[in-house]
Amino acid sequence: MDMALKILMPGPVCLIENAKGQLRPNQKALEILSAITQPVVVVAIVGLYRTGKSYLMNKLAGKKSGFALGSTVQAHTKGIWMWCVPHPHKKDHTLVLLDTEGLGDVEKGDNQNDCWIFALAILLSSTFVYNSMGPINQQTMDQLHYVTELTDRIRSRASPDQEDEVEDSAEFVSFFPDFVWSLRDMTLKLEVNGVPVTADEYLENSLKLKEGTCKEVEKYNLPRLCIRKFFPKKKCFIFYPPTEWKKLSLLETLQENEIDSDFLQQVAEFCLYIFKHCKAKTLPGGIPVNGPRLESLVLTYVEAICSGDLPCIENAVLALAKIENSAAVQKAIAHYDQQMSQRVQLPTETLQELLELHRASEREAIEIFLRTSFKDEDHLFQKELGSQLEERWDDFCKRNLEESSNRCQALLQDIFKPLEEGVKHGTYSKPGGYGLFVQETQRLKKEYYGQPKKGIQAEEVLQTYLQSKEAVSNAILQTDQSLTEKEKEIEVERKRAESALAAAKLLEETQKKNEKLMEQKERSYQEHMRQLTQKMENDRIQLKAEQERILAIKLQEQKQLLQEGFREESRKLQEEIKNVEKRYKEKMDHMEAESSKTKVKILEEMQRKYDQLMENKDRNHQERVRQLIEKMEKDRAQQVAEQEKMMTRMLQERELHLKEEISDERRKHQKEIQDIEAKNREILLKMESAQAQSSENTIKMLKEMNEVNLKIMGQKEKAFEDSLKQLTEKMEADTARLKTEQEEIFTNKLQEQEEIFNEKLRKQNKKHEEEIRTIKMKKKNSDCSMM
């Protein structure tokens, strides 16, 4: 930063130009201020023209030349000039020197412009140097009439009420700079009533008031009273003439041996005091000012003057707060982004890991915002910060899921590639192939689980992949001829149970993720409120200290007035003290009300969050119950369909077997009939042949044989019908028995599933009730802590 200042500012530049009585800021100087991130110590010097102001400022800059000295009776400096240099004594601070145009220039024609230059020097500086020639007398005081017009030129608050003007003058002490009076070319001895005094004692004696109420006395007292009232910290320096008057115009070119040694010593003491004792510029509330903030003050004050309004401290602070708070949000967000990009390596193994990194970065971001922001009315900017942090958190969660899914899918494609190749080449399409397929699948799953950096989607992506390959697994199972039908049914049931268990586990993990995400939103809100409450408490302590300091200054001034015998002025000062105390009480009451209001908002918001949390938990619980019911109904329908399919297949097989048995019996019966018919035909042929040759006995015998054959055929026909009837009855009995057995098995399975589902439902309800009790307990504890 120091090198940057040396390069940017080899000499002073005009900060506020004064052209024909119109003030306007210089853009080049504003750009220089915008680059200064350090706190600034602003020293402004004001005084009549041709009184040597620029020489002192050059010495403060550590240079012999820089600010123009001028060597004629005309005012040389116009407007306000600025020179920024590294502070020689305060590390990480920048010294901003402001040299103003000389007051009382007859060429300007009126003193309005001088009044505004005087007011701006006070508003912008942390140390105000008034430079005058000779001793302090009434003429010197009359020249300092600008201080008596400050209440007509500056306002502390935007309220235009007359009562507030009195309170404004009382509040000036809180933001007015320290006052340093430099008396140039002093030739008189520092004595009061013949007693030697120091420069500070000489100043205090010169500021003593006269008793009386006439206009002359009031005119005499007014500038002195204003200096005492507005500038509680005062310092005086005496400077002897530096050289003979003929060489004064060449002062910056003279060698040190040509300048009075006492004068050089006095200048050194003046510079040392400025370097050691002058404080950094602050705004009301102890807000430190850096380059960009000083730039904003310049713009706000000059704009107000050019528009015909009075420069208002409150308006300037609010305008600055809007800019600063917006920048504070961006700074906090940038820090969060930087920390998360450095700390997080996606995908994370668990959601908790990502949560912890987010919480640490979020806490730091909130701290940065609250440290760099101020006057965040209604906490609008903090809400904006919370909204942006939440958006970034959601984005990180989404990216974490995507990275995990992509990583797991790539792993699965690589690990399960040999298995898929084996399926394509028919490696498992053989007896015993299903066992090999299951064994290889389990081995690859174990290898997949052993891979690191899978992230939180590892289980879900694996189950999705396995479900996509379920048809292949079922096909291999059905074509494996080494397994019986019963073994296949058992394997199908095992796979179904394993799938249901995996689905329940995945559903439980999803529920836990959602609960953690909801818990994170609640903790994020509580972190915002915790830090905000702490900041409000710190602001209250700081306001109290500032008000106590103002009251101490006023009481000290009142005590001094009483000692000097000015009871009327003391009474007026007492009124100001009462106004300050009243304002302080109002501010404290307002802050207390704001604090209570904030606490109420916190409680209301927490109540809303808890209600939302409960509602989400109920919704998630109901959704899980619905999913379980749907899954049970789906499994039941699937089992019914499979049982019906199995029974149909078994009945078809039995019917086919029975038809084959009947066909065999029918074929045997027809063959026997054909054999008997063939025998009958032989007998008939024999009978026909015997009619011509044999006797009646032969014919009778043949008839008897024919009757026997017919009887045997009748018995065979009846036996076939009886056998067919028995087979039909047996088939019907077996079918009825099989249906009864399958229905009994199916009913038992359904009862088992219902018992499992009811047990899961009871556990879920119990867990849900415990969560509700936990949330209510947390809410009760939170309400107690907030109260």
Side-chain angles (χ1 to χ4, degrees), residues 16 78 83 107 113 142 274 286 342 344 427 472 527 533 558 584 724 732 738 747 771 774:
I16 300 176
K78 291 294 182 181
W83 198 352
E107 293 184 0
N113 198 254
D142 290 341
I274 296 295
Q342 292 177 355
V344 177
T427 305
V472 175
E527 180 64 25
T533 303
Q558 183 190 25
Y584 168 69
L724 183 62
E732 291 177 352
L738 181 61
T747 301
E771 289 175 349
T774 302

Side-chain angles (χ1 to χ4, degrees), residues 147 150-151 169 172-173 176-177 225-232:
V147 75
L150 286 176
T151 54
S169 64
F172 284 168
V173 176
F176 263 32
L225 190 61
C226 289
I227 293 174
R228 292 173 63 161
K229 185 185 342 183
F230 296 151
F231 304 100

Side-chain angles (χ1 to χ4, degrees), residues 285 406 424 468 529 585 644 754:
N406 295 336
K424 289 181 181 179
S468 68
M529 293 302 103
K585 186 176 182 304
E644 290 179 351
E754 286 185 7

Side-chain angles (χ1 to χ4, degrees), residues 376-596:
D376 182 13
E377 301 294 339
D378 298 326
H379 316 299
L380 296 178
F381 288 95
Q382 188 173 8
K383 290 178 182 177
E384 174 64 21
L385 172 65
S387 176
Q388 291 196 32
L389 287 175
E390 186 172 351
E391 288 179 5
R392 276 162 169 74
W393 163 243
D394 292 340
D395 181 62
F396 266 104
C397 291
K398 182 179 178 181
R399 286 168 51 196
N400 195 36
L401 290 175
E402 291 175 354
E403 291 287 341
S404 178
S405 296
N406 295 336
R407 164 74 173 159
C408 293
Q409 288 171 4
L411 276 175
L412 287 172
Q413 290 178 2
D414 184 54
I415 293 174
F416 281 79
K417 185 177 180 180
L419 183 69
E420 295 181 359
E421 291 293 332
V423 172
K424 289 181 181 179
H425 292 91
T427 305
Y428 307 104
S429 300
K430 61 183 181 180
Y434 179 76
L436 295 175
F437 178 83
V438 172
Q439 184 179 357
E440 182 66 9
T441 301
Q442 294 298 325
R443 186 186 70 79
L444 295 178
K445 282 172 62 177
K446 187 176 181 180
E447 181 181 350
Y448 170 80
Y449 282 127
Q451 293 293 323
K453 299 293 183 181
K454 295 189 297 296
I456 60 179
Q457 290 292 95
E459 188 66 28
E460 183 174 346
V461 173
L462 175 62
Q463 294 305 321
T464 302
Y465 175 81
L466 293 177
Q467 288 176 5
S468 68
K469 302 301 179 183
E470 190 172 351
V472 175
S473 176
N474 291 335
I476 294 174
L477 174 64
Q478 296 302 325
T479 57
D480 192 342
Q481 298 177 359
S482 66
L483 298 176
T484 64
E485 291 297 326
K486 187 64 176 177
E487 289 174 333
K488 291 180 181 180
E489 291 176 10
I490 294 174
E491 184 62 25
V492 169
E493 289 295 328
R494 186 192 65 78
K495 288 174 59 179
R496 183 180 294 115
E498 185 177 318
S499 177
L501 185 63
K505 181 181 177 182
L506 189 62
L507 187 64
E508 186 176 356
E509 288 182 357
T510 304
Q511 175 70 8
K512 289 180 179 178
K513 287 181 190 176
N514 293 334
E515 289 175 357
K516 285 187 177 181
L517 291 175
M518 287 188 291
E519 181 186 357
Q520 164 55 30
K521 292 183 183 297
E522 180 186 350
R523 290 186 62 171
S524 175
Y525 178 78
Q526 290 178 346
E527 180 64 25
H528 276 274
M529 293 302 103
R530 182 188 67 79
Q531 294 200 33
L532 177 60
T533 303
Q534 182 63 41
K535 186 174 188 296
M536 291 174 65
E537 184 63 27
N538 294 338
D539 291 343
R540 186 184 294 110
I541 294 172
Q542 190 171 13
L543 175 63
K544 182 179 180 181
E546 184 176 326
Q547 294 297 324
E548 288 176 350
R549 183 179 67 84
I550 294 173
L551 288 174
I553 292 171
K554 292 291 184 181
L555 290 172
Q556 183 180 0
E557 181 66 20
Q558 183 190 25
K559 180 180 179 181
Q560 190 172 352
L561 287 172
L562 286 172
Q563 290 174 349
E564 295 174 8
F566 293 96
R567 300 191 177 279
E568 180 62 23
E569 293 298 333
S570 176
R571 185 191 63 78
K572 293 179 181 179
L573 190 58
Q574 182 64 31
E575 289 295 324
E576 289 187 6
I577 292 173
K578 289 182 179 179
N579 289 332
V580 171
E581 290 176 339
K582 177 183 176 183
R583 174 55 58 84
Y584 168 69
K585 186 176 182 304
E586 289 176 353
K587 284 185 178 180
M588 293 300 290
D589 291 343
H590 176 71
M591 292 185 71
E592 189 67 31
E594 283 294 318
S595 178
S596 299

